[in-house]
Amino acid sequence: MSRKPCAEPGCPIIGDTTRCVEHARMRDKARGSSSARGYGDAHQALRAGYQRRMDQGEKFSCWRCGDPIDPQRWHLGHDDHDRTVYRGPECTPCNLATRGRTPGG
């Protein structure tokens, strides 16, 4: 793993992650809790249900690209046009590629 400077401008700390420990904490705090970001009880219960099924051996594919889901590393995918609609397990690369997209954007 290559070491790199903290992504926060002016921070002199070199480390193995994008941000130093202090700036990572500050960024997480600024983001708010998962519930505050729209991932409340219903989201967490639905995700836990999928995780239970994966832990019992059920296989899932990413709803977006069709690749197999890694039971240790996945997201619960939202519809691109209505974030109240869940589409199912989504692989991390697909989810991160669509993060922050807005309908029509």
Side-chain angles (χ1 to χ4, degrees), residues 44-93:
Q44 292 173 22
L46 184 58
R47 191 183 192 295
Y50 277 112
Q51 187 65 62
R52 247 186 323 278
R53 292 166 60 190
M54 288 180 204
D55 291 345
Q56 294 170 350
E58 190 170 344
K59 306 289 185 203
F60 289 91
S61 296
C62 174
W63 75 270
R64 194 177 291 277
C65 73
D67 284 352
I69 291 292
D70 175 350
Q72 303 304 313
R73 195 169 149 82
W74 64 280
H75 297 257
L76 181 55
H78 288 96
D79 182 83
D80 289 339
H81 301 286
D82 183 352
R83 287 188 50 83
T84 66
V85 175
Y86 292 103
R87 295 293 181 188
E90 184 171 36
C91 68
T92 301

Side-chain angles (χ1 to χ4, degrees), residues 12-68:
I13 296 175
I14 306 289
D16 297 323
T17 59
T18 305
R19 287 185 171 72
C20 68
V21 172
E22 178 184 351
H23 286 121
R25 276 192 204 120
M26 289 171 56
R27 184 159 193 233
D28 282 345
K29 187 174 182 179
R31 290 178 68 209
S33 69
S34 59
S35 293
R37 292 191 322 266
Y39 304 109
D41 292 341
H43 175 93
Q44 292 173 22
L46 184 58
R47 191 183 192 295
Y50 277 112
Q51 187 65 62
R52 247 186 323 278
R53 292 166 60 190
M54 288 180 204
D55 291 345
Q56 294 170 350
E58 190 170 344
K59 306 289 185 203
F60 289 91
S61 296
C62 174
W63 75 270
R64 194 177 291 277
C65 73
D67 284 352

